[in-house]
Amino acid sequence: QVQLAESGGGLVQAGGSLRLSCAASGSIFRITTMDWYRQAPGKQRELVATITSGGSTNYADSVKGRFTISRDNARNTMYLQMNSLKPEDTAVYYCSSDTFPRRWGPGTRVTVSS
């Protein structure tokens, strides 16, 4: 069973950067595809980025070229480097495991001021 905890959110000005971390418990982390999702106020939760156990990545069009997802299997940790942040990136960011059932962290809030 995977348990997840995000950290690294905060308030940043437009154009700035943040790095989110997702610490995972459980020995299956290294064989599990992991995702970052976000949910902005009044909007549905959306998939931001995905990384497979082998390191293949995929991004939403809205963040391509600005965000980078990565993982350190030795540390059971996943990251989301967010650069050139925009006010529309403001949301609660969640890490999630592509398991059955899907697991979610409690989320970390990112606020980008204009």
Side-chain angles (χ1 to χ4, degrees):
Q1 186 171 346
V2 179
Q3 292 184 319
L4 305 170
E6 306 91 342
S7 61
L11 173 64
V12 63
Q13 288 188 331
S17 298
L18 282 175
R19 188 173 85 152
L20 306 183
S21 298
C22 172
S25 66
S27 59
I28 67 168
F29 173 81
R30 63 188 63 204
I31 63 171
T32 301
T33 293
M34 298 292 296
D35 306 307
W36 283 101
Y37 282 78
R38 68 184 180 187
Q39 187 165 18
K43 295 188 176 181
Q44 289 188 329
R45 193 170 296 189
E46 63 173 349
L47 178 62
V48 174
T50 296
I51 187 165
T52 68
S53 58
S56 296
T57 59
N58 198 30
Y59 298 91
D61 287 343
S62 58
V63 307
K64 277 182 184 176
R66 301 187 298 120
F67 290 12
T68 302
I69 189 172
S70 62
R71 66 192 297 162
D72 184 342
N73 287 339
R75 296 177 183 270
N76 271 20
T77 304
M78 176 176 68
Y79 304 97
L80 186 67
Q81 178 67 44
M82 306 186 295
N83 298 329
S84 301
L85 282 161
K86 304 175 181 180
E88 50 264 45
D89 295 317
T90 294
V92 178
Y93 284 72
Y94 300 89
C95 64
S96 181
S97 63
D98 191 9
T99 53
F100 184 79
R102 177 174 287 276
R103 300 292 181 183
W104 298 90
T108 186
R109 185 174 302 274
V110 172
T111 303
V112 184
S113 63
S114 56

